[in-house]
Amino acid sequence: QGDVQAASDVLEENIAEAPEHMASYELLSRLRQQSGDLGAALHVLERAQAVAPGTMARVRHLGDLALQAGRPEVAEQVLGEALQRHRFSPVREAADYARLAQSMTRQNKAKQALAPLVQAKREFRDEHSELLLSAHEVIALQGAGETNKAEQLMKGLIERAQHVMPGDTAMAIAEACYLTGHEQAGEKMLAHAVQNAPEDQRVHGQARAVLRAAGKSDEHGDALIETN
């Protein structure tokens, strides 16, 4: 703990002396995240973003942290601005649109969340991207009250989910499962993800965020992580 604090102090000094040095912010944010303080980790990246618009890698990290920390409005702003800025660039990924849609559904803007997903589905047609985007489409449709459409799309996803490796796509499918009443399948996918990354704070944060979105308590998330 002392070493982490000492390293944090040095990085804060580096930032004070050279605020344009982005690597210091990113390292400090990761230290804060590893210590379990997602709010502080997010604040560090927001400070960096205020100094200079980030690369897509930093924007993705910031958006991910904002979603885990319960600040979806921050994720929507930074991801929306970045995708607009890079709208003709190959640096964009299907996951960027998925995170943008996720940030909107977490703010009860499910109908608006469908637009970036429709756009992304036209551009990213590989199977992995299609699975990820379809899972978020189910979540958005369910949130928008289009339960029949959500369930129809969900049927195909559950069959294909058996072959999905732990990661962002598995997390999205797990959330879709919970929201459409397939809780057992969702719990199994989350448990598998945690088992494959028992020390990964990012995975733990994602699992807790999925459970919160499904209306589960933080205690439920703690129990799932501790038992896996």
Coordinates of all heavy atoms in Angstrom, one line a residue, residues 49-130:
Q49 N -8.4 14.4 -20.1 CA -9.2 14.7 -21.2 C -9.4 16.2 -21.3 O -9.5 16.8 -22.4 CB -10.6 14.0 -21.1 CG -11.4 13.9 -22.3 CD -10.9 12.9 -23.3 OE1 -9.9 12.2 -23.0 NE2 -11.5 12.7 -24.4
A50 N -9.4 16.9 -20.2 CA -9.5 18.4 -20.2 C -8.3 19.0 -20.8 O -8.4 20.1 -21.3 CB -9.8 18.9 -18.8
V51 N -7.2 18.4 -20.7 CA -5.9 19.0 -21.2 C -5.8 18.7 -22.7 O -5.4 19.6 -23.4 CB -4.7 18.3 -20.5 CG1 -3.4 18.8 -21.1 CG2 -4.7 18.7 -19.0
A52 N -6.2 17.5 -23.1 CA -6.0 17.2 -24.5 C -7.0 16.1 -24.9 O -7.2 15.1 -24.1 CB -4.6 16.7 -24.9
P53 N -7.7 16.2 -26.0 CA -8.6 15.1 -26.4 C -7.8 13.8 -26.5 O -6.7 13.8 -27.1 CB -9.1 15.5 -27.8 CG -9.0 17.0 -27.8 CD -7.8 17.3 -27.0
G54 N -8.3 12.7 -26.0 CA -7.6 11.5 -25.9 C -7.5 10.7 -27.2 O -8.3 10.9 -28.1
T55 N -6.6 9.8 -27.2 CA -6.6 8.7 -28.3 C -7.8 7.8 -28.0 O -8.4 7.9 -26.9 CB -5.3 7.9 -28.2 OG1 -5.4 7.2 -26.9 CG2 -4.1 8.7 -28.3
M56 N -8.2 7.1 -29.0 CA -9.3 6.2 -28.8 C -9.1 5.2 -27.7 O -10.0 4.8 -27.0 CB -9.7 5.4 -30.1 CG -10.4 6.2 -31.1 SD -12.0 7.0 -30.5 CE -13.0 5.5 -30.1
A57 N -7.8 4.8 -27.5 CA -7.5 3.8 -26.4 C -7.9 4.5 -25.0 O -8.5 3.8 -24.2 CB -6.1 3.5 -26.4
R58 N -7.5 5.8 -24.8 CA -7.8 6.4 -23.6 C -9.3 6.7 -23.4 O -9.9 6.6 -22.4 CB -7.0 7.7 -23.4 CG -7.3 8.3 -22.0 CD -6.5 9.5 -21.6 NE -5.6 10.1 -22.5 CZ -5.7 11.3 -23.0 NH1 -6.7 12.0 -22.7 NH2 -4.8 11.8 -23.8
V59 N -10.0 7.1 -24.6 CA -11.4 7.3 -24.5 C -12.1 6.0 -24.1 O -13.1 6.1 -23.3 CB -11.9 7.8 -25.9 CG1 -13.4 7.7 -26.0 CG2 -11.4 9.2 -26.2
R60 N -11.7 4.9 -24.7 CA -12.3 3.6 -24.3 C -12.2 3.3 -22.8 O -13.1 2.9 -22.2 CB -11.7 2.5 -25.2 CG -12.1 2.5 -26.6 CD -11.4 1.5 -27.5 NE -11.7 1.7 -28.9 CZ -10.9 1.8 -29.9 NH1 -9.6 1.7 -29.6 NH2 -11.3 2.0 -31.1
H61 N -11.0 3.5 -22.3 CA -10.7 3.3 -20.9 C -11.6 4.2 -20.1 O -12.2 3.8 -19.1 CB -9.2 3.5 -20.6 CG -8.8 3.1 -19.2 ND1 -7.7 3.6 -18.6 CD2 -9.4 2.4 -18.3 CE1 -7.6 3.1 -17.4 NE2 -8.6 2.4 -17.2
L62 N -11.6 5.5 -20.4 CA -12.4 6.5 -19.7 C -13.9 6.1 -19.7 O -14.6 6.1 -18.7 CB -12.2 7.9 -20.3 CG -12.6 9.1 -19.4 CD1 -12.0 10.3 -20.0 CD2 -14.1 9.3 -19.3
G63 N -14.4 5.7 -20.9 CA -15.8 5.3 -21.0 C -16.1 4.0 -20.2 O -17.1 4.0 -19.5
D64 N -15.2 3.1 -20.2 CA -15.3 1.9 -19.4 C -15.4 2.2 -17.9 O -16.3 1.7 -17.2 CB -14.2 0.9 -19.8 CG -14.4 -0.5 -19.4 OD1 -15.6 -1.0 -19.6 OD2 -13.5 -1.2 -18.9
L65 N -14.5 3.0 -17.5 CA -14.4 3.4 -16.1 C -15.7 4.1 -15.7 O -16.2 3.9 -14.6 CB -13.2 4.3 -15.8 CG -11.9 3.6 -15.4 CD1 -10.8 4.7 -15.2 CD2 -12.1 2.8 -14.1
A66 N -16.2 5.0 -16.5 CA -17.4 5.8 -16.2 C -18.6 4.9 -16.0 O -19.4 5.1 -15.1 CB -17.6 6.8 -17.3
L67 N -18.7 3.9 -16.9 CA -19.8 2.9 -16.8 C -19.7 2.1 -15.5 O -20.7 1.9 -14.8 CB -19.8 2.0 -18.0 CG -20.3 2.6 -19.3 CD1 -20.0 1.8 -20.5 CD2 -21.8 2.9 -19.2
Q68 N -18.5 1.7 -15.1 CA -18.3 0.9 -13.9 C -18.6 1.7 -12.7 O -19.0 1.2 -11.7 CB -16.9 0.3 -13.9 CG -16.6 -0.8 -14.9 CD -15.2 -1.3 -14.8 OE1 -14.7 -1.6 -13.7 NE2 -14.5 -1.3 -15.9
A69 N -18.2 3.0 -12.8 CA -18.4 3.9 -11.6 C -19.8 4.5 -11.5 O -20.0 5.3 -10.6 CB -17.3 5.0 -11.7
G70 N -20.7 4.1 -12.4 CA -22.0 4.6 -12.3 C -22.2 6.0 -12.8 O -23.1 6.8 -12.4
R71 N -21.3 6.4 -13.8 CA -21.4 7.8 -14.4 C -21.6 7.6 -15.9 O -20.7 8.0 -16.7 CB -20.1 8.5 -14.1 CG -19.7 8.8 -12.7 CD -20.6 9.9 -12.1 NE -20.5 11.1 -12.9 CZ -19.4 11.9 -12.9 NH1 -18.3 11.6 -12.1 NH2 -19.4 13.0 -13.6
P72 N -22.7 7.1 -16.3 CA -22.9 6.8 -17.8 C -23.0 8.1 -18.6 O -22.7 8.1 -19.8 CB -24.3 6.1 -17.8 CG -25.0 6.5 -16.6 CD -23.9 6.6 -15.5
E73 N -23.3 9.2 -18.0 CA -23.4 10.5 -18.7 C -22.0 10.9 -19.2 O -21.8 11.5 -20.3 CB -24.0 11.6 -17.9 CG -23.2 12.1 -16.7 CD -23.1 11.2 -15.5 OE1 -23.8 10.1 -15.5 OE2 -22.4 11.6 -14.5
V74 N -21.0 10.6 -18.4 CA -19.6 10.9 -18.8 C -19.2 10.0 -20.0 O -18.6 10.5 -20.9 CB -18.6 10.7 -17.6 CG1 -17.2 10.8 -18.0 CG2 -19.0 11.6 -16.5
A75 N -19.5 8.7 -19.9 CA -19.2 7.8 -21.0 C -19.9 8.2 -22.3 O -19.3 8.2 -23.3 CB -19.7 6.4 -20.6
E76 N -21.2 8.6 -22.2 CA -21.9 9.1 -23.4 C -21.2 10.3 -24.0 O -21.0 10.3 -25.3 CB -23.3 9.4 -23.1 CG -24.1 9.8 -24.3 CD -25.5 10.3 -24.0 OE1 -25.9 10.4 -22.8 OE2 -26.2 10.6 -25.0
Q77 N -20.8 11.2 -23.2 CA -20.2 12.4 -23.7 C -18.9 12.2 -24.4 O -18.7 12.6 -25.6 CB -20.0 13.5 -22.6 CG -19.4 14.8 -23.1 CD -19.1 15.8 -22.0 OE1 -19.6 15.6 -20.9 NE2 -18.4 16.8 -22.3
V78 N -18.0 11.5 -23.8 CA -16.6 11.3 -24.3 C -16.7 10.3 -25.5 O -16.0 10.5 -26.5 CB -15.6 10.8 -23.3 CG1 -15.4 11.8 -22.2 CG2 -16.0 9.4 -22.7
L79 N -17.5 9.3 -25.5 CA -17.6 8.3 -26.6 C -18.3 9.0 -27.8 O -17.8 8.8 -28.9 CB -18.3 7.1 -26.2 CG -17.5 6.1 -25.2 CD1 -18.5 5.2 -24.6 CD2 -16.5 5.4 -26.0
G80 N -19.3 9.7 -27.5 CA -20.1 10.4 -28.6 C -19.2 11.4 -29.3 O -19.1 11.4 -30.6
E81 N -18.4 12.2 -28.6 CA -17.5 13.2 -29.2 C -16.4 12.5 -30.0 O -16.1 12.9 -31.1 CB -16.9 14.1 -28.1 CG -17.9 15.0 -27.4 CD -17.3 15.8 -26.3 OE1 -16.2 15.5 -25.9 OE2 -18.0 16.7 -25.7
A82 N -15.9 11.4 -29.4 CA -14.8 10.7 -30.1 C -15.2 10.1 -31.4 O -14.5 10.1 -32.4 CB -14.2 9.6 -29.2
L83 N -16.4 9.4 -31.4 CA -16.9 8.8 -32.6 C -17.3 9.8 -33.6 O -17.1 9.6 -34.8 CB -18.1 7.9 -32.2 CG -17.8 6.6 -31.5 CD1 -19.0 5.9 -31.0 CD2 -17.0 5.7 -32.4
Q84 N -17.7 11.0 -33.2 CA -18.0 12.0 -34.2 C -16.7 12.6 -34.8 O -16.6 12.8 -36.0 CB -18.7 13.2 -33.5 CG -19.1 14.4 -34.4 CD -20.0 14.1 -35.5 OE1 -20.7 13.1 -35.5 NE2 -20.0 14.9 -36.6
R85 N -15.7 12.7 -33.9 CA -14.4 13.2 -34.4 C -13.7 12.2 -35.3 O -13.0 12.6 -36.3 CB -13.5 13.4 -33.2 CG -12.2 14.2 -33.4 CD -11.6 14.7 -32.1 NE -11.3 13.7 -31.2 CZ -11.8 13.5 -30.0 NH1 -12.8 14.3 -29.6 NH2 -11.5 12.5 -29.2
H86 N -13.9 10.9 -35.1 CA -13.2 9.9 -35.9 C -14.2 9.2 -36.8 O -14.0 8.0 -37.2 CB -12.6 8.8 -35.0 CG -11.5 9.4 -34.1 ND1 -10.3 9.8 -34.6 CD2 -11.4 9.6 -32.8 CE1 -9.5 10.2 -33.7 NE2 -10.2 10.1 -32.5
R87 N -15.3 9.8 -37.2 CA -16.4 9.2 -37.9 C -16.0 8.5 -39.3 O -16.6 7.6 -39.8 CB -17.6 10.1 -38.1 CG -17.3 11.3 -38.9 CD -18.5 12.3 -38.9 NE -18.4 13.5 -39.6 CZ -17.7 14.6 -39.2 NH1 -17.1 14.5 -38.0 NH2 -17.6 15.6 -40.0
F88 N -14.9 9.0 -39.9 CA -14.4 8.4 -41.1 C -13.1 7.7 -40.9 O -12.4 7.3 -41.9 CB -14.2 9.5 -42.2 CG -15.5 10.3 -42.5 CD1 -15.5 11.7 -42.2 CD2 -16.6 9.7 -42.9 CE1 -16.6 12.4 -42.5 CE2 -17.8 10.4 -43.1 CZ -17.8 11.8 -42.9
S89 N -12.8 7.4 -39.7 CA -11.5 6.8 -39.4 C -11.6 5.3 -39.1 O -12.6 4.8 -38.5 CB -10.9 7.4 -38.2 OG -9.7 6.7 -37.7
P90 N -10.6 4.5 -39.5 CA -10.6 3.1 -39.2 C -10.3 2.7 -37.8 O -10.3 1.5 -37.4 CB -9.5 2.5 -40.2 CG -8.6 3.7 -40.4 CD -9.4 4.9 -40.4
V91 N -10.0 3.7 -36.9 CA -9.7 3.4 -35.5 C -11.0 3.0 -34.8 O -10.9 2.5 -33.7 CB -9.1 4.6 -34.8 CG1 -7.8 5.0 -35.5 CG2 -10.0 5.8 -34.7
R92 N -12.2 3.3 -35.3 CA -13.4 2.9 -34.7 C -13.6 1.4 -34.6 O -13.2 0.7 -35.5 CB -14.6 3.6 -35.4 CG -14.7 5.1 -35.3 CD -15.7 5.6 -36.3 NE -15.4 5.1 -37.7 CZ -16.3 4.5 -38.4 NH1 -17.5 4.2 -38.0 NH2 -16.0 4.1 -39.7
E93 N -14.3 0.9 -33.6 CA -14.6 -0.5 -33.4 C -16.1 -0.6 -33.1 O -16.7 0.3 -32.6 CB -13.8 -1.1 -32.3 CG -12.3 -1.1 -32.5 CD -11.5 -1.6 -31.3 OE1 -12.2 -1.9 -30.3 OE2 -10.3 -1.6 -31.4
A94 N -16.6 -1.8 -33.3 CA -18.0 -2.0 -33.0 C -18.2 -1.8 -31.5 O -19.3 -1.3 -31.0 CB -18.4 -3.5 -33.3
A95 N -17.2 -2.2 -30.7 CA -17.3 -2.0 -29.2 C -17.5 -0.6 -28.8 O -18.1 -0.3 -27.7 CB -16.1 -2.6 -28.5
D96 N -17.0 0.4 -29.6 CA -17.2 1.8 -29.2 C -18.7 2.2 -29.3 O -19.2 2.9 -28.4 CB -16.4 2.7 -30.2 CG -14.9 2.4 -30.1 OD1 -14.4 2.1 -29.0 OD2 -14.2 2.5 -31.2
Y97 N -19.4 1.7 -30.3 CA -20.8 2.0 -30.5 C -21.6 1.2 -29.4 O -22.6 1.7 -28.9 CB -21.3 1.6 -31.9 CG -20.7 2.5 -32.9 CD1 -19.5 2.2 -33.6 CD2 -21.4 3.6 -33.3 CE1 -18.9 3.0 -34.5 CE2 -20.8 4.5 -34.3 CZ -19.6 4.2 -34.9 OH -19.1 5.0 -35.9
A98 N -21.1 0.0 -29.1 CA -21.8 -0.7 -28.0 C -21.7 0.0 -26.7 O -22.7 0.1 -26.0 CB -21.2 -2.1 -27.9
R99 N -20.5 0.5 -26.4 CA -20.4 1.3 -25.1 C -21.2 2.5 -25.1 O -21.8 2.9 -24.1 CB -18.9 1.6 -24.9 CG -18.1 0.5 -24.4 CD -16.7 1.0 -23.9 NE -15.8 -0.1 -23.6 CZ -14.9 -0.6 -24.5 NH1 -14.9 -0.1 -25.8 NH2 -14.1 -1.6 -24.2
L100 N -21.3 3.2 -26.3 CA -22.1 4.4 -26.4 C -23.6 4.1 -26.1 O -24.3 4.7 -25.3 CB -21.9 5.0 -27.7 CG -22.8 6.3 -28.0 CD1 -22.5 7.4 -27.0 CD2 -22.5 6.8 -29.4
A101 N -24.0 3.0 -26.7 CA -25.4 2.6 -26.5 C -25.7 2.2 -25.1 O -26.7 2.5 -24.5 CB -25.8 1.4 -27.4
Q102 N -24.7 1.5 -24.5 CA -24.8 1.1 -23.1 C -24.9 2.3 -22.2 O -25.7 2.3 -21.2 CB -23.6 0.2 -22.7 CG -23.7 -0.4 -21.3 CD -22.5 -1.2 -21.0 OE1 -21.4 -1.0 -21.5 NE2 -22.7 -2.3 -20.2
S103 N -24.1 3.3 -22.5 CA -24.2 4.5 -21.6 C -25.5 5.2 -21.7 O -26.0 5.8 -20.7 CB -23.0 5.5 -22.0 OG -23.3 6.1 -23.3
M104 N -26.2 5.1 -22.8 CA -27.5 5.7 -23.0 C -28.6 4.9 -22.3 O -29.4 5.5 -21.7 CB -27.8 5.9 -24.5 CG -26.8 6.8 -25.2 SD -26.8 6.8 -27.0 CE -28.2 7.9 -27.3
T105 N -28.5 3.6 -22.5 CA -29.5 2.8 -21.8 C -29.4 2.9 -20.3 O -30.5 2.9 -19.6 CB -29.4 1.3 -22.2 OG1 -28.1 0.8 -21.9 CG2 -29.7 1.1 -23.7
R106 N -28.2 3.1 -19.8 CA -28.1 3.2 -18.3 C -28.6 4.6 -17.8 O -28.8 4.8 -16.6 CB -26.6 3.2 -17.9 CG -25.9 1.8 -18.2 CD -26.1 0.9 -17.0 NE -25.8 -0.5 -17.4 CZ -24.6 -1.1 -17.4 NH1 -23.6 -0.3 -17.1 NH2 -24.5 -2.3 -17.7
Q107 N -28.9 5.4 -18.8 CA -29.6 6.7 -18.4 C -31.1 6.7 -18.8 O -31.7 7.8 -18.9 CB -28.9 7.9 -19.1 CG -27.4 8.1 -18.7 CD -26.8 9.1 -19.6 OE1 -27.0 10.3 -19.3 NE2 -26.0 8.7 -20.6
N108 N -31.6 5.5 -19.0 CA -33.0 5.4 -19.4 C -33.3 6.1 -20.8 O -34.4 6.6 -21.0 CB -34.0 6.0 -18.4 CG -33.8 5.2 -17.0 OD1 -33.8 4.0 -17.0 ND2 -33.7 5.9 -15.9
K109 N -32.3 6.0 -21.7 CA -32.5 6.6 -23.0 C -32.4 5.4 -24.0 O -31.6 5.5 -25.0 CB -31.4 7.7 -23.3 CG -31.6 8.9 -22.4 CD -30.8 10.1 -22.8 CE -29.3 9.9 -22.6 NZ -28.6 11.2 -22.9
A110 N -33.2 4.4 -23.8 CA -33.0 3.2 -24.6 C -33.4 3.4 -26.0 O -32.7 2.8 -26.9 CB -33.9 2.1 -24.0
K111 N -34.4 4.1 -26.3 CA -34.8 4.3 -27.7 C -33.7 5.0 -28.5 O -33.4 4.7 -29.6 CB -36.1 5.2 -27.8 CG -37.4 4.4 -27.4 CD -38.6 5.2 -27.7 CE -39.8 4.3 -27.3 NZ -41.1 5.0 -27.5
Q112 N -33.1 6.0 -27.9 CA -32.0 6.7 -28.5 C -30.8 5.8 -28.7 O -30.0 5.9 -29.7 CB -31.5 8.0 -27.7 CG -32.6 9.1 -27.6 CD -33.4 9.0 -26.3 OE1 -33.9 7.9 -26.0 NE2 -33.5 10.1 -25.6
A113 N -30.6 4.8 -27.8 CA -29.5 3.9 -27.9 C -29.5 3.0 -29.1 O -28.5 2.5 -29.5 CB -29.4 3.1 -26.6
L114 N -30.7 2.8 -29.7 CA -30.8 2.0 -30.8 C -30.1 2.5 -32.1 O -29.6 1.8 -32.9 CB -32.3 1.7 -31.2 CG -33.0 0.8 -30.2 CD1 -34.5 0.8 -30.4 CD2 -32.5 -0.7 -30.3
A115 N -30.1 3.9 -32.2 CA -29.5 4.5 -33.4 C -28.0 4.2 -33.6 O -27.6 3.7 -34.7 CB -29.7 6.0 -33.3
P116 N -27.1 4.3 -32.6 CA -25.7 3.9 -32.8 C -25.5 2.5 -33.1 O -24.6 2.1 -33.9 CB -25.0 4.4 -31.6 CG -26.0 4.5 -30.5 CD -27.3 4.9 -31.2
L117 N -26.4 1.6 -32.6 CA -26.3 0.2 -32.8 C -26.7 -0.2 -34.3 O -26.0 -1.0 -34.9 CB -27.2 -0.6 -31.9 CG -26.8 -0.5 -30.4 CD1 -27.9 -1.1 -29.5 CD2 -25.5 -1.1 -30.1
V118 N -27.7 0.5 -34.8 CA -28.1 0.3 -36.2 C -27.0 0.7 -37.1 O -26.7 0.0 -38.1 CB -29.4 1.0 -36.5 CG1 -29.7 1.0 -38.0 CG2 -30.6 0.4 -35.7
Q119 N -26.4 1.9 -36.8 CA -25.3 2.4 -37.6 C -24.1 1.4 -37.6 O -23.6 1.1 -38.6 CB -24.9 3.8 -37.1 CG -23.7 4.3 -37.9 CD -23.2 5.6 -37.3 OE1 -23.8 6.2 -36.4 NE2 -22.0 6.1 -37.7
A120 N -23.8 0.9 -36.4 CA -22.6 0.0 -36.3 C -22.9 -1.3 -37.0 O -22.0 -1.9 -37.6 CB -22.3 -0.2 -34.8
K121 N -24.1 -1.8 -36.9 CA -24.4 -3.1 -37.6 C -24.2 -3.0 -39.1 O -23.9 -4.0 -39.8 CB -25.8 -3.5 -37.3 CG -25.9 -4.3 -36.0 CD -27.3 -4.9 -35.8 CE -27.3 -6.0 -34.7 NZ -28.5 -6.7 -34.7
R122 N -24.4 -1.8 -39.7 CA -24.2 -1.6 -41.1 C -22.7 -1.6 -41.5 O -22.3 -2.0 -42.6 CB -24.8 -0.3 -41.6 CG -26.3 -0.2 -41.7 CD -26.8 0.9 -42.5 NE -26.4 2.2 -41.9 CZ -27.2 3.0 -41.2 NH1 -28.5 2.5 -40.9 NH2 -26.9 4.1 -40.7
E123 N -21.9 -1.2 -40.5 CA -20.4 -1.1 -40.8 C -19.6 -2.3 -40.4 O -18.6 -2.6 -41.0 CB -19.9 0.2 -40.1 CG -20.5 1.5 -40.6 CD -19.8 2.7 -40.1 OE1 -18.6 2.7 -40.1 OE2 -20.5 3.7 -39.7
F124 N -20.0 -2.9 -39.3 CA -19.2 -4.0 -38.7 C -20.0 -5.3 -38.9 O -21.0 -5.6 -38.1 CB -18.9 -3.8 -37.3 CG -18.1 -2.5 -37.1 CD1 -18.8 -1.3 -36.7 CD2 -16.8 -2.4 -37.2 CE1 -18.1 -0.1 -36.5 CE2 -16.1 -1.2 -37.0 CZ -16.8 -0.1 -36.7
R125 N -19.6 -6.2 -39.8 CA -20.5 -7.3 -40.2 C -19.8 -8.7 -39.8 O -20.3 -9.7 -40.1 CB -20.7 -7.3 -41.7 CG -21.6 -6.1 -42.1 CD -21.8 -6.1 -43.6 NE -22.6 -4.9 -44.0 CZ -23.9 -4.9 -44.1 NH1 -24.6 -5.9 -43.7 NH2 -24.5 -3.8 -44.5
D126 N -18.7 -8.6 -39.1 CA -18.1 -9.9 -38.7 C -18.9 -10.5 -37.5 O -19.6 -9.8 -36.9 CB -16.6 -9.7 -38.2 CG -16.5 -8.7 -37.0 OD1 -16.7 -7.5 -37.3 OD2 -16.3 -9.2 -35.9
E127 N -18.7 -11.8 -37.3 CA -19.6 -12.5 -36.3 C -19.4 -11.9 -34.9 O -20.4 -11.8 -34.2 CB -19.3 -14.0 -36.3 CG -20.2 -14.8 -35.4 CD -20.0 -16.3 -35.4 OE1 -19.0 -16.7 -36.1 OE2 -20.7 -17.0 -34.8
H128 N -18.2 -11.7 -34.5 CA -17.9 -11.2 -33.1 C -18.6 -9.9 -32.9 O -19.3 -9.7 -31.9 CB -16.4 -11.0 -32.9 CG -16.1 -10.5 -31.5 ND1 -16.2 -11.3 -30.4 CD2 -15.8 -9.2 -31.1 CE1 -15.9 -10.5 -29.3 NE2 -15.6 -9.3 -29.7
S129 N -18.5 -8.9 -33.9 CA -19.1 -7.6 -33.7 C -20.7 -7.8 -33.7 O -21.4 -7.1 -33.0 CB -18.7 -6.7 -34.9 OG -17.3 -6.4 -34.8
E130 N -21.2 -8.7 -34.6 CA -22.6 -8.8 -34.7 C -23.2 -9.4 -33.4 O -24.3 -8.9 -32.9 CB -22.9 -9.8 -35.8 CG -24.4 -9.8 -36.3 CD -25.3 -10.7 -35.5 OE1 -24.8 -11.8 -35.0 OE2 -26.4 -10.4 -35.3

